[in-house]
Amino acid sequence: MLKIKYTIYILLFLFIVNFANAFSVRYALHDGFFRVVFQTDKEVAWKEKPYPRDKILVITIEDVNKDEVKNLKETLEKALKDYVSKIGVITRGKTLKIVIKFKNNAPGYKIFSLKSPYRIVLDIVISPVGEDKEKDIYISPDLSKRKNIDIIGKIIKERSNIHNRKVVKRKSVKSVKIAKRKFYKHRLKTIRKRNRKIIVVLDPGHGGKDPGATANGLKEKDITLKIAKRIKTYLERDGRFKVYLTRNSDKFVPLYKRSLFAIKRNADIFISIHCNALPSNRSFTGTYVYTLNLRGAKSKMAKIVESRENKIVMRYIKVSGNSYVNRIVADLAVSSTMVEGRKFAKHLKKHLRRITRFRKIDSANFAVLKTPGIPSVLIETLFITSPRDANRLKSWKFRDKFSYSVYRAIVDYFF
Ligand SMILES: [Zn+2]
């Protein structure tokens, strides 16, 4: 009898020890705030980093075992869904990062630790903050100017949900990628089955007050519009495509509106057309095709092009202003855009290399290519700064050949 009693005590002891080492989460709604408690039971190093402009808080907690936070993302998402629009959980070694993007109804937060047992307490303020607001509660800035970004965010979320449903039982990154590719193929099949037209959105770069690059008597905004219109003509003659241009005349359209346009039109493909510029080397010629890469440009040329093409609306793309948010966005549907974009880029290369000096397919972080679920590329047709290339861009015959090649690449990609 005594032996059994001891065994029970030992088992109980082991259970408590095991439990005491675990990282656990509790939460409850209080009057005016929602409290989340991360219990670690041993003192750990942690820090907070708020990004008030984006209403984002990043909590870093050290010395956490990966296994203990397996379901943390799901738990937090469920608990905080009324006050938080996005949650990211990132583990690297024994470091845990929790990224929280607050909704507008959560005007602030407070975070502190308590001892024995050791707890990190996060209070999310959910009622209007009074006059006696505490020092470490921040008031969110006016977000009304960011409305358009929020629409994109919403659509990203909706689309990613479709993807997630498809890949729910798959685990490795590779199989998720394959599943996404399958998802896209499925989409192409339904296009054919329903016999609907393929929706192509062409985006003539720049326009209006933004001329783009100018050299050799040419303005980038004029060339891009002419080429886009010519591609449209070929596609419409074909009969299998419905074509939209993000602008039909010489007017200014901000970058985020261009990608939003493609999303709203439910585009099957998005092609942004530009001219390259390298004032420091006017003999440099050739064609580049770019696909989206959320981590930023790879090559030196890609870096130059990236900063030039993103310049006009830098203030609109704050969403990717910090790397944590980038990682969350990357988690979402954008990966299929990148995979399919590269596939389409290869078709472009095949056709364009016959008529131009095709330099390479590269990737960079373009604001205009953030079109989740839609294969998207940016074509830098030729160098407007090179007299040789400029002469070709001036020629109706060359622009016609170039446009025809893009049309052929689109056909090859879809059929
Ligand atoms: Zn451009």
Side-chain angles (χ1 to χ4, degrees):
M1 197 60 191
L2 199 69
K3 211 177 173 187
I4 293 169
K5 226 176 188 175
Y6 272 120
T7 313
I8 288 169
Y9 278 134
I10 288 165
L11 280 175
L12 199 63
F13 175 75
L14 282 174
F15 179 74
I16 289 167
V17 166
N18 190 38
F19 193 74
N21 276 338
F23 180 97
S24 63
V25 184
R26 293 193 312 271
Y27 49 84
L29 180 63
H30 294 254
D31 186 24
F33 63 95
F34 189 90
R35 174 166 286 183
V36 185
V37 180
F38 304 98
Q39 188 164 319
T40 56
D41 280 324
K42 58 187 170 189
E43 198 162 337
V44 293
W46 64 275
K47 63 178 186 218
E48 58 168 316
K49 185 156 173 49
Y51 296 85
R53 285 180 76 99
D54 294 311
K55 299 206 70 172
I56 285 171
L57 168 68
V58 179
I59 307 167
T60 307
I61 305 173
E62 301 294 344
D63 211 12
V64 176
N65 285 322
K66 219 174 178 172
D67 307 342
E68 293 166 0
V69 293
K70 261 189 303 203
N71 303 317
L72 184 61
K73 188 169 189 272
E74 289 72 25
T75 308
L76 289 176
E77 271 169 356
K78 212 174 113 195
L80 299 174
K81 63 179 189 301
D82 291 339
Y83 318 109
V84 159
S85 62
K86 260 179 210 162
I87 287 191
V89 172
I90 303 151
T91 50
R92 197 175 293 157
K94 289 207 144 198
T95 304
L96 165 71
K97 276 185 197 294
I98 303 167
V99 186
I100 300 170
K101 184 164 170 58
F102 295 108
K103 285 184 180 174
N104 284 345
N105 64 348
Y109 75 92
K110 202 164 68 169
I111 189 164
F112 53 93
S113 63
L114 294 170
K115 278 180 184 165
S116 54
Y118 197 78
R119 287 154 289 165
I120 299 161
V121 181
L122 170 68
D123 285 345
I124 299 170
V125 178
I126 55 175
S127 66
V129 180
E131 292 299 316
D132 57 341
K133 57 186 184 254
E134 290 173 58
K135 199 174 109 263
D136 47 359
I137 293 178
Y138 67 77
I139 309 298
S140 65
D142 178 23
L143 290 176
S144 58
K145 288 181 198 105
R146 304 260 323 269
K147 237 180 217 161
N148 291 297
I149 287 300
D150 287 337
I151 297 167
I152 294 177
K154 241 186 228 163
I155 297 164
I156 288 174
K157 223 176 164 187
E158 277 164 22
R159 279 184 186 250
S160 74
N161 284 341
I162 299 167
H163 288 283
N164 288 341
R165 235 174 278 143
K166 288 265 163 193
V167 297
V168 76
K169 281 200 178 101
R170 294 170 191 267
K171 269 178 190 161
S172 75
V173 176
K174 207 178 166 189
S175 59
V176 169
K177 267 187 191 159
I178 290 165
K180 280 178 180 165
R181 228 172 285 159
K182 272 188 188 155
F183 170 80
Y184 198 75
K185 272 194 185 143
H186 174 75
R187 192 174 162 185
L188 290 183
K189 256 187 208 160
T190 52
I191 293 172
R192 271 166 226 155
K193 222 187 251 171
R194 283 185 204 153
N195 214 13
R196 79 156 167 87
K197 290 191 176 183
I198 288 164
I199 300 160
V200 180
V201 170
L202 300 172
D203 173 46
H206 313 277
K209 67 179 180 189
D210 166 26
T214 53
N216 294 308
L218 289 176
K219 283 179 187 147
E220 183 181 356
K221 64 174 183 178
D222 300 331
I223 304 294
T224 58
L225 184 59
K226 280 176 183 163
I227 291 175
K229 281 184 171 169
R230 194 69 193 146
I231 300 170
K232 183 176 192 257
T233 304
Y234 277 115
L235 287 166
E236 283 177 344
R237 263 188 215 165
D238 179 292
R240 291 174 289 186
F241 302 94
K242 176 91 192 103
V243 188
Y244 297 101
L245 264 60
T246 54
R247 65 178 178 97
N248 283 293
S249 59
D250 182 20
K251 72 170 188 201
F252 176 75
V253 183
L255 291 187
Y256 72 90
K257 277 199 178 157
R258 295 169 192 252
S259 34
L260 197 62
F261 180 89
I263 293 164
K264 281 184 175 166
R265 292 290 182 286
N266 201 18
D268 296 307
I269 198 158
F270 177 83
I271 304 164
S272 192
I273 298 149
H274 290 260
C275 300
N276 224 330
L278 196 60
S280 60
N281 182 358
R282 292 188 177 262
S283 61
F284 204 87
T285 64
T287 303
Y288 284 83
V289 170
Y290 289 98
T291 59
L292 179 66
N293 171 5
L294 288 173
R295 279 174 208 96
K298 281 183 196 160
S299 69
K300 203 175 161 195
M301 175 59 81
K303 270 184 194 119
I304 295 169
V305 174
E306 179 184 278
S307 68
R308 187 162 47 78
E309 301 296 4
N310 282 344
K311 203 174 260 166
I312 298 300
V313 285
M314 260 314 187
R315 65 197 181 88
Y316 289 107
I317 50 167
K318 269 181 242 136
V319 159
S320 60
N322 73 63
S323 58
Y324 301 110
V325 184
N326 260 347
R327 232 171 285 162
I328 298 171
V329 176
D331 267 3
L332 303 177
V334 189
S335 75
S336 69
T337 308
M338 298 196 275
V339 172
E340 289 301 322
R342 278 195 292 274
K343 226 192 268 176
F344 174 59
K346 282 178 192 157
H347 287 291
L348 279 172
K349 182 180 176 181
K350 192 181 113 200
H351 288 280
L352 288 174
R353 71 189 306 174
R354 292 172 189 161
I355 56 155
T356 72
R357 173 161 191 190
F358 194 95
R359 292 274 181 181
K360 76 192 276 201
I361 297 168
D362 210 335
S363 61
N365 196 344
F366 291 114
V368 76
L369 294 184
K370 281 171 190 161
T371 49
I374 306 166
S376 305
V377 300
L378 187 145
I379 307 174
E380 292 281 356
T381 51
L382 285 179
F383 281 81
I384 204 167
T385 42
S386 144
R388 194 173 161 268
D389 274 7
N391 274 335
R392 303 189 83 187
L393 291 171
K394 276 177 198 164
S395 144
W396 183 90
K397 211 172 169 191
F398 172 80
R399 292 196 309 263
D400 179 58
K401 269 199 233 164
F402 194 95
S403 307
Y404 179 72
S405 302
V406 175
Y407 156 71
R408 285 294 308 276
I410 297 170
V411 171
D412 276 8
Y413 174 73
F414 283 103
F415 298 98

